[in-house]
Amino acid sequence: MERNANRSPAGKFVHLGMCYGYSSSKLAERFARKMREPKLFERHFYKSGFEFPLMPVVCNDQPEEIGLAAWGLIPTWAKDESMQKYTLNARSETIFEKPSFKKAIANQRCLILADGFYEWQHVGKNKYPYFIGLKNEDSFAFAGIWDLWENPQSKEIVKSYSIITIEANGLMAKIHNTRKRMPLILPVENEDAWLKAESKKEIIDLLKHPVGEDEMFAYTVQRKLANEASVQDRFVYEELSQGRMF
């Protein structure tokens, strides 16, 4: 049994070192044409990558359908699932070299559907969570890669994915101010090209053209991140001058 293939959920936020949390609660509006069973879509306001959740994706093996895949790529050759905690993200700069990712980036790319994500800003000894999305409030797609792995005990086939990260733009460098990374958000016009790219040159070009920072917003939220609607509410920290929207 393949875990994920023909079911579809949706959600909001998730957080990982970068990016380890995101949201997918508005997907029905933007990706309705790809949904086989929209009523199965769940509203995820926050999902943690370290829970390895099943989240909505569009993979290049079934580009007209939204399916589910587990966050944290498990390569086909892996002996077990233990490496998932290390593969939530894949750095664009080394993705063609890493054993876990080099086959997937060449042949197995996906759109990871979301409408926002969370990241932490460090100020002195404190850290503050931000919710980040697009100013047009539309859903979007992170660039991702996927793979299939067979559990040697249960024989279950698991489809899993990694979110590709890039160097932070000006906005994200202020927020993710320690590692200065960000997930690669694809412009709408590049989504199909990401799935269909055939050459390394095409793929590299797409990795270099994410959504611009002028199309993004960010604001602080409460530190207690939970899978409920209020997690997206703006929360102003008096000690921060950035409590306002960027």
Side-chain angles (χ1 to χ4, degrees):
M1 178 180 69
E2 180 175 333
R3 183 176 69 178
N4 86 33
N6 295 315
R7 296 184 305 160
S8 308
K12 276 217 165 194
F13 321 4
V14 187
H15 184 83
L16 241 204
M18 172 70 278
C19 143
Y20 297 131
Y22 67 91
S23 159
S24 59
S25 61
K26 302 176 183 176
L27 300 187
E29 301 169 20
R30 164 119 137 71
F31 296 99
R33 69 182 179 84
K34 291 182 181 288
M35 295 182 185
R36 296 183 60 187
E37 300 179 78
K39 64 183 179 181
L40 295 181
F41 271 67
E42 303 170 6
R43 290 174 62 82
H44 295 307
F45 296 94
Y46 172 86
K47 296 300 291 184
S48 169
F50 292 112
E51 297 172 354
F52 315 117
L54 288 173
M55 298 295 283
V57 298
V58 176
C59 297
N60 60 346
D61 63 335
Q62 293 179 303
E64 296 305 318
E65 294 183 11
I66 297 177
L68 295 182
W71 191 5
L73 186 143
I74 310 172
T76 302
W77 45 261
K79 294 181 179 179
D80 56 41
E81 300 166 289
S82 62
M83 68 186 307
Q84 271 189 297
K85 59 182 177 290
Y86 304 112
T87 58
L88 296 169
N89 298 326
R91 293 175 64 95
S92 63
E93 296 88 342
T94 58
I95 197 168
F96 284 96
E97 305 162 13
K98 297 293 184 180
S100 299
F101 305 138
K102 61 183 182 180
K103 176 176 74 75
I105 186 60
N107 303 301
Q108 295 163 193
R109 293 176 304 281
C110 63
L111 306 176
I112 300 158
L113 311 184
D115 50 54
F117 66 99
Y118 300 89
E119 195 47 83
W120 295 81
Q121 180 185 54
H122 289 74
V123 181
K125 295 182 179 180
N126 298 317
K127 61 180 184 177
Y128 303 88
Y130 283 74
F131 177 61
I132 303 111
L134 298 185
K135 289 179 179 178
N136 63 10
E137 298 186 349
D138 205 350
S139 297
F140 55 82
F142 296 125
I145 53 176
W146 63 274
D147 209 340
L148 292 178
W149 173 76
E150 182 178 352
N151 186 307
Q153 280 74 47
S154 67
K155 303 304 178 183
E156 176 187 21
I157 303 299
V158 179
K159 179 175 277 189
S160 58
Y161 68 90
S162 292
I163 295 174
I164 295 176
T165 67
I166 57 176
E167 182 179 351
N169 59 28
L171 170 67
M172 287 303 302
K174 295 175 185 175
I175 298 172
H176 196 237
N177 56 351
T178 52
R179 298 182 183 179
K180 297 190 177 182
R181 303 290 298 174
M182 65 177 289
L184 195 167
I185 301 175
L186 290 164
V188 173
E189 61 272 18
N190 287 354
E191 290 175 357
D192 285 344
W194 178 251
L195 298 178
K196 297 176 181 177
E198 296 181 352
S199 69
K200 183 176 180 179
K201 182 178 181 300
E202 289 178 277
I203 296 168
I204 291 175
D205 185 62
L206 291 166
L207 291 172
K208 293 179 179 179
H209 292 89
V211 161
E213 69 175 289
D214 59 334
E215 299 177 58
M216 301 170 65
F217 71 79
Y219 57 79
T220 48
V221 295
Q222 294 194 64
R223 288 190 176 94
K224 184 180 179 181
L225 301 182
N227 191 22
E228 53 192 41
S230 61
V231 74
Q232 300 179 21
D233 293 344
R234 184 195 305 268
F235 184 85
V236 177
Y237 296 89
E238 293 183 1
E239 66 270 31
L240 283 183
S241 61
Q242 294 98 327
R244 63 188 182 280
M245 181 184 292
F246 277 102

Short mmCIF file of all heavy atoms in Angstrom, two decimals, residues 21-64:
data_model
loop_
_atom_site.label_atom_id
_atom_site.label_comp_id
_atom_site.label_asym_id
_atom_site.label_seq_id
_atom_site.Cartn_x
_atom_site.Cartn_y
_atom_site.Cartn_z
N GLY A 21 8.16 24.53 9.69
CA GLY A 21 6.75 24.65 10.00
C GLY A 21 6.05 25.45 8.91
O GLY A 21 6.58 26.45 8.43
N TYR A 22 4.87 25.00 8.47
CA TYR A 22 4.13 25.77 7.49
C TYR A 22 2.64 25.48 7.56
O TYR A 22 2.19 24.67 8.36
CB TYR A 22 4.67 25.57 6.07
CG TYR A 22 4.52 24.20 5.46
CD1 TYR A 22 3.39 23.90 4.70
CD2 TYR A 22 5.51 23.24 5.58
CE1 TYR A 22 3.27 22.65 4.09
CE2 TYR A 22 5.39 22.00 4.98
CZ TYR A 22 4.27 21.71 4.24
OH TYR A 22 4.14 20.48 3.64
N SER A 23 1.86 26.19 6.73
CA SER A 23 0.41 26.12 6.77
C SER A 23 -0.15 25.84 5.39
O SER A 23 0.42 26.25 4.39
CB SER A 23 -0.12 27.46 7.28
OG SER A 23 -1.46 27.64 6.91
N SER A 24 -1.30 25.15 5.35
CA SER A 24 -1.92 24.85 4.05
C SER A 24 -3.45 24.90 4.14
O SER A 24 -4.13 24.05 3.62
CB SER A 24 -1.46 23.47 3.56
OG SER A 24 -1.81 22.48 4.49
N SER A 25 -3.99 25.91 4.79
CA SER A 25 -5.43 25.93 5.06
C SER A 25 -6.28 26.50 3.94
O SER A 25 -7.49 26.37 3.96
CB SER A 25 -5.70 26.72 6.33
OG SER A 25 -5.27 28.04 6.19
N LYS A 26 -5.67 27.16 2.95
CA LYS A 26 -6.45 27.80 1.89
C LYS A 26 -6.30 27.13 0.53
O LYS A 26 -6.66 27.69 -0.49
CB LYS A 26 -6.04 29.27 1.76
CG LYS A 26 -6.20 30.09 3.04
CD LYS A 26 -5.68 31.49 2.82
CE LYS A 26 -5.75 32.31 4.10
NZ LYS A 26 -5.14 33.65 3.91
N LEU A 27 -5.77 25.93 0.52
CA LEU A 27 -5.41 25.30 -0.75
C LEU A 27 -6.59 25.07 -1.68
O LEU A 27 -6.44 25.10 -2.90
CB LEU A 27 -4.71 23.97 -0.49
CG LEU A 27 -3.43 24.06 0.32
CD1 LEU A 27 -2.75 22.71 0.37
CD2 LEU A 27 -2.48 25.10 -0.25
N ALA A 28 -7.76 24.83 -1.12
CA ALA A 28 -8.91 24.51 -1.96
C ALA A 28 -9.21 25.62 -2.95
O ALA A 28 -9.69 25.38 -4.05
CB ALA A 28 -10.13 24.24 -1.09
N GLU A 29 -8.92 26.86 -2.57
CA GLU A 29 -9.22 28.00 -3.44
C GLU A 29 -8.33 28.02 -4.67
O GLU A 29 -8.78 28.28 -5.77
CB GLU A 29 -9.05 29.30 -2.65
CG GLU A 29 -9.96 29.38 -1.42
CD GLU A 29 -9.58 30.54 -0.51
OE1 GLU A 29 -8.91 31.47 -1.00
OE2 GLU A 29 -9.94 30.51 0.67
N ARG A 30 -7.05 27.77 -4.49
CA ARG A 30 -6.10 27.93 -5.59
C ARG A 30 -5.87 26.66 -6.40
O ARG A 30 -5.64 26.71 -7.60
CB ARG A 30 -4.77 28.42 -5.01
CG ARG A 30 -3.60 28.27 -5.96
CD ARG A 30 -2.99 29.60 -6.28
NE ARG A 30 -1.57 29.53 -6.25
CZ ARG A 30 -0.82 28.89 -7.15
NH1 ARG A 30 -1.36 28.22 -8.13
NH2 ARG A 30 0.49 28.90 -7.05
N PHE A 31 -5.92 25.50 -5.75
CA PHE A 31 -5.57 24.25 -6.42
C PHE A 31 -6.76 23.32 -6.61
O PHE A 31 -6.59 22.12 -6.76
CB PHE A 31 -4.48 23.54 -5.63
CG PHE A 31 -3.19 24.29 -5.56
CD1 PHE A 31 -2.87 25.04 -4.43
CD2 PHE A 31 -2.29 24.28 -6.61
CE1 PHE A 31 -1.68 25.75 -4.35
CE2 PHE A 31 -1.10 24.99 -6.55
CZ PHE A 31 -0.79 25.73 -5.41
N ALA A 32 -7.97 23.88 -6.63
CA ALA A 32 -9.19 23.05 -6.71
C ALA A 32 -9.19 22.13 -7.92
O ALA A 32 -9.66 21.00 -7.84
CB ALA A 32 -10.42 23.95 -6.74
N ARG A 33 -8.67 22.58 -9.04
CA ARG A 33 -8.72 21.76 -10.26
C ARG A 33 -7.92 20.48 -10.14
O ARG A 33 -8.14 19.52 -10.89
CB ARG A 33 -8.24 22.58 -11.46
CG ARG A 33 -6.75 22.89 -11.44
CD ARG A 33 -6.35 23.74 -12.64
NE ARG A 33 -4.94 24.06 -12.63
CZ ARG A 33 -3.98 23.28 -13.09
NH1 ARG A 33 -4.29 22.09 -13.59
NH2 ARG A 33 -2.73 23.65 -13.05
N LYS A 34 -6.97 20.43 -9.20
CA LYS A 34 -6.14 19.23 -9.03
C LYS A 34 -6.67 18.31 -7.94
O LYS A 34 -6.13 17.24 -7.72
CB LYS A 34 -4.70 19.63 -8.69
CG LYS A 34 -3.94 20.31 -9.83
CD LYS A 34 -2.52 20.63 -9.42
CE LYS A 34 -1.75 21.33 -10.53
NZ LYS A 34 -1.42 20.42 -11.62
N MET A 35 -7.72 18.72 -7.25
CA MET A 35 -8.22 17.93 -6.12
C MET A 35 -9.25 16.91 -6.58
O MET A 35 -10.28 17.26 -7.14
CB MET A 35 -8.86 18.85 -5.08
CG MET A 35 -7.89 19.80 -4.42
SD MET A 35 -8.74 20.78 -3.16
CE MET A 35 -7.43 21.88 -2.66
N ARG A 36 -9.00 15.65 -6.31
CA ARG A 36 -9.96 14.61 -6.66
C ARG A 36 -11.09 14.56 -5.64
O ARG A 36 -12.24 14.34 -5.99
CB ARG A 36 -9.26 13.25 -6.71
CG ARG A 36 -8.20 13.14 -7.80
CD ARG A 36 -7.61 11.75 -7.84
NE ARG A 36 -8.62 10.75 -8.11
CZ ARG A 36 -8.40 9.44 -8.07
NH1 ARG A 36 -7.21 8.99 -7.75
NH2 ARG A 36 -9.35 8.58 -8.34
N GLU A 37 -10.75 14.75 -4.37
CA GLU A 37 -11.75 14.69 -3.31
C GLU A 37 -11.51 15.85 -2.33
O GLU A 37 -10.94 15.64 -1.26
CB GLU A 37 -11.68 13.35 -2.58
CG GLU A 37 -11.93 12.15 -3.47
CD GLU A 37 -11.82 10.85 -2.71
OE1 GLU A 37 -12.78 10.51 -2.00
OE2 GLU A 37 -10.77 10.21 -2.80
N PRO A 38 -11.95 17.06 -2.70
CA PRO A 38 -11.68 18.23 -1.86
C PRO A 38 -12.14 18.09 -0.42
O PRO A 38 -11.51 18.63 0.49
CB PRO A 38 -12.46 19.34 -2.58
CG PRO A 38 -12.55 18.88 -3.99
CD PRO A 38 -12.69 17.39 -3.91
N LYS A 39 -13.20 17.36 -0.17
CA LYS A 39 -13.71 17.26 1.19
C LYS A 39 -12.75 16.52 2.13
O LYS A 39 -12.88 16.59 3.35
CB LYS A 39 -15.07 16.56 1.20
CG LYS A 39 -15.05 15.11 0.74
CD LYS A 39 -16.46 14.54 0.71
CE LYS A 39 -16.47 13.09 0.24
NZ LYS A 39 -17.85 12.54 0.19
N LEU A 40 -11.77 15.81 1.55
CA LEU A 40 -10.79 15.12 2.38
C LEU A 40 -9.68 16.05 2.85
O LEU A 40 -8.86 15.67 3.67
CB LEU A 40 -10.16 13.95 1.60
CG LEU A 40 -11.11 12.81 1.23
CD1 LEU A 40 -10.34 11.72 0.51
CD2 LEU A 40 -11.79 12.24 2.48
N PHE A 41 -9.66 17.28 2.33
CA PHE A 41 -8.61 18.21 2.72
C PHE A 41 -8.84 18.72 4.13
O PHE A 41 -9.89 19.28 4.44
CB PHE A 41 -8.53 19.38 1.74
CG PHE A 41 -7.62 19.12 0.60
CD1 PHE A 41 -7.94 18.16 -0.35
CD2 PHE A 41 -6.44 19.82 0.46
CE1 PHE A 41 -7.09 17.89 -1.40
CE2 PHE A 41 -5.58 19.55 -0.58
CZ PHE A 41 -5.91 18.58 -1.52
N GLU A 42 -7.87 18.53 4.98
CA GLU A 42 -7.93 19.02 6.35
C GLU A 42 -7.29 20.40 6.41
O GLU A 42 -6.39 20.72 5.64
CB GLU A 42 -7.19 18.07 7.28
CG GLU A 42 -7.70 16.63 7.23
CD GLU A 42 -6.80 15.68 7.97
OE1 GLU A 42 -5.84 16.16 8.62
OE2 GLU A 42 -7.01 14.47 7.87
N ARG A 43 -7.74 21.21 7.36
CA ARG A 43 -7.16 22.53 7.56
C ARG A 43 -6.02 22.42 8.57
O ARG A 43 -6.25 22.18 9.74
CB ARG A 43 -8.21 23.51 8.06
CG ARG A 43 -9.26 23.86 7.01
CD ARG A 43 -10.35 24.71 7.61
NE ARG A 43 -9.87 25.98 8.13
CZ ARG A 43 -9.65 27.06 7.39
NH1 ARG A 43 -9.88 27.02 6.09
NH2 ARG A 43 -9.23 28.18 7.93
N HIS A 44 -4.80 22.55 8.09
CA HIS A 44 -3.64 22.52 8.98
C HIS A 44 -3.15 23.95 9.18
O HIS A 44 -2.63 24.56 8.25
CB HIS A 44 -2.52 21.67 8.38
CG HIS A 44 -2.86 20.22 8.24
ND1 HIS A 44 -3.32 19.46 9.28
CD2 HIS A 44 -2.79 19.39 7.17
CE1 HIS A 44 -3.54 18.23 8.88
NE2 HIS A 44 -3.23 18.16 7.59
N PHE A 45 -3.32 24.47 10.37
CA PHE A 45 -2.85 25.82 10.66
C PHE A 45 -1.39 25.82 11.09
O PHE A 45 -0.70 26.81 10.96
CB PHE A 45 -3.73 26.45 11.74
CG PHE A 45 -5.16 26.62 11.30
CD1 PHE A 45 -6.12 25.66 11.60
CD2 PHE A 45 -5.54 27.72 10.56
CE1 PHE A 45 -7.42 25.81 11.17
CE2 PHE A 45 -6.84 27.88 10.13
CZ PHE A 45 -7.78 26.92 10.43
N TYR A 46 -0.94 24.72 11.61
CA TYR A 46 0.47 24.57 11.96
C TYR A 46 0.80 23.07 12.03
O TYR A 46 0.11 22.31 12.70
CB TYR A 46 0.78 25.20 13.33
CG TYR A 46 2.18 24.90 13.82
CD1 TYR A 46 3.25 25.69 13.43
CD2 TYR A 46 2.43 23.80 14.65
CE1 TYR A 46 4.53 25.40 13.84
CE2 TYR A 46 3.71 23.50 15.07
CZ TYR A 46 4.76 24.31 14.67
OH TYR A 46 6.04 24.01 15.07
N LYS A 47 1.83 22.68 11.31
CA LYS A 47 2.32 21.30 11.39
C LYS A 47 3.84 21.36 11.55
O LYS A 47 4.52 22.08 10.83
CB LYS A 47 1.96 20.50 10.16
CG LYS A 47 0.47 20.29 9.95
CD LYS A 47 -0.20 19.55 11.08
CE LYS A 47 0.21 18.10 11.16
NZ LYS A 47 -0.53 17.37 12.22
N SER A 48 4.34 20.59 12.47
CA SER A 48 5.77 20.54 12.72
C SER A 48 6.43 19.50 11.83
O SER A 48 5.95 18.37 11.74
CB SER A 48 6.04 20.20 14.18
OG SER A 48 7.41 19.90 14.37
N GLY A 49 7.54 19.87 11.24
CA GLY A 49 8.26 18.92 10.41
C GLY A 49 8.73 17.71 11.17
O GLY A 49 8.83 16.61 10.62
N PHE A 50 9.03 17.89 12.46
CA PHE A 50 9.55 16.78 13.25
C PHE A 50 8.49 15.74 13.57
O PHE A 50 8.80 14.70 14.16
CB PHE A 50 10.20 17.31 14.52
CG PHE A 50 11.46 18.09 14.24
CD1 PHE A 50 11.51 19.46 14.45
CD2 PHE A 50 12.58 17.46 13.74
CE1 PHE A 50 12.67 20.17 14.17
CE2 PHE A 50 13.74 18.17 13.46
CZ PHE A 50 13.79 19.54 13.68
N GLU A 51 7.24 16.01 13.19
CA GLU A 51 6.19 15.00 13.30
C GLU A 51 6.09 14.18 12.01
O GLU A 51 5.32 13.24 11.92
CB GLU A 51 4.84 15.67 13.57
CG GLU A 51 4.80 16.42 14.89
CD GLU A 51 3.53 17.24 15.05
OE1 GLU A 51 2.74 17.31 14.06
OE2 GLU A 51 3.32 17.81 16.13
N PHE A 52 6.85 14.59 10.98
CA PHE A 52 6.86 13.93 9.67
C PHE A 52 5.43 13.76 9.14
O PHE A 52 5.02 12.65 8.76
CB PHE A 52 7.59 12.59 9.73
CG PHE A 52 8.88 12.66 10.50
CD1 PHE A 52 9.06 11.93 11.66
CD2 PHE A 52 9.90 13.49 10.06
CE1 PHE A 52 10.24 12.02 12.39
CE2 PHE A 52 11.10 13.58 10.77
CZ PHE A 52 11.26 12.84 11.94
N PRO A 53 4.66 14.86 9.11
CA PRO A 53 3.24 14.76 8.74
C PRO A 53 3.03 14.46 7.26
O PRO A 53 3.88 14.77 6.42
CB PRO A 53 2.70 16.15 9.08
CG PRO A 53 3.88 17.05 8.85
CD PRO A 53 5.07 16.26 9.34
N LEU A 54 1.89 13.88 6.94
CA LEU A 54 1.47 13.73 5.55
C LEU A 54 0.87 15.06 5.12
O LEU A 54 -0.09 15.55 5.74
CB LEU A 54 0.42 12.62 5.42
CG LEU A 54 0.92 11.18 5.58
CD1 LEU A 54 -0.26 10.23 5.61
CD2 LEU A 54 1.88 10.82 4.47
N MET A 55 1.41 15.65 4.08
CA MET A 55 0.99 16.97 3.63
C MET A 55 0.71 16.95 2.12
O MET A 55 1.19 16.09 1.40
CB MET A 55 2.07 18.00 3.96
CG MET A 55 2.34 18.15 5.46
SD MET A 55 0.94 18.81 6.40
CE MET A 55 1.06 20.55 5.98
N PRO A 56 -0.06 17.93 1.62
CA PRO A 56 -0.45 17.93 0.20
C PRO A 56 0.69 18.35 -0.73
O PRO A 56 1.35 19.35 -0.50
CB PRO A 56 -1.60 18.95 0.15
CG PRO A 56 -1.36 19.84 1.32
CD PRO A 56 -0.75 18.98 2.39
N VAL A 57 0.89 17.55 -1.77
CA VAL A 57 1.93 17.81 -2.75
C VAL A 57 1.42 17.47 -4.15
O VAL A 57 0.48 16.70 -4.31
CB VAL A 57 3.21 16.96 -2.47
CG1 VAL A 57 3.82 17.32 -1.12
CG2 VAL A 57 2.89 15.48 -2.54
N VAL A 58 2.07 18.04 -5.14
CA VAL A 58 1.84 17.66 -6.54
C VAL A 58 3.18 17.18 -7.06
O VAL A 58 4.15 17.95 -7.13
CB VAL A 58 1.33 18.84 -7.39
CG1 VAL A 58 1.20 18.42 -8.86
CG2 VAL A 58 0.00 19.36 -6.86
N CYS A 59 3.27 15.90 -7.39
CA CYS A 59 4.53 15.31 -7.85
C CYS A 59 4.54 15.14 -9.36
O CYS A 59 3.48 15.02 -9.99
CB CYS A 59 4.75 13.95 -7.17
SG CYS A 59 4.91 14.05 -5.38
N ASN A 60 5.73 15.11 -9.93
CA ASN A 60 5.80 15.06 -11.40
C ASN A 60 5.44 13.70 -11.97
O ASN A 60 5.36 13.55 -13.19
CB ASN A 60 7.18 15.51 -11.91
CG ASN A 60 8.32 14.65 -11.40
OD1 ASN A 60 8.16 13.86 -10.46
ND2 ASN A 60 9.48 14.82 -12.00
N ASP A 61 5.17 12.69 -11.11
CA ASP A 61 4.67 11.42 -11.64
C ASP A 61 3.15 11.45 -11.80
O ASP A 61 2.59 10.64 -12.53
CB ASP A 61 5.09 10.26 -10.74
CG ASP A 61 4.50 10.33 -9.34
OD1 ASP A 61 4.18 11.45 -8.88
OD2 ASP A 61 4.36 9.27 -8.69
N GLN A 62 2.48 12.40 -11.12
CA GLN A 62 1.03 12.59 -11.23
C GLN A 62 0.73 14.09 -11.19
O GLN A 62 0.13 14.58 -10.23
CB GLN A 62 0.29 11.87 -10.10
CG GLN A 62 0.40 10.34 -10.16
CD GLN A 62 -0.33 9.68 -9.01
OE1 GLN A 62 -0.04 9.94 -7.84
NE2 GLN A 62 -1.28 8.82 -9.33
N PRO A 63 1.15 14.83 -12.22
CA PRO A 63 1.10 16.29 -12.17
C PRO A 63 -0.29 16.91 -12.16
O PRO A 63 -0.43 18.10 -11.89
CB PRO A 63 1.87 16.70 -13.43
CG PRO A 63 1.70 15.54 -14.36
CD PRO A 63 1.74 14.34 -13.47
N GLU A 64 -1.32 16.13 -12.43
CA GLU A 64 -2.67 16.67 -12.43
C GLU A 64 -3.43 16.34 -11.16
O GLU A 64 -4.63 16.60 -11.07
CB GLU A 64 -3.45 16.13 -13.65
CG GLU A 64 -2.88 16.59 -14.99
CD GLU A 64 -2.78 18.11 -15.08
OE1 GLU A 64 -3.73 18.80 -14.64
OE2 GLU A 64 -1.74 18.61 -15.55
#
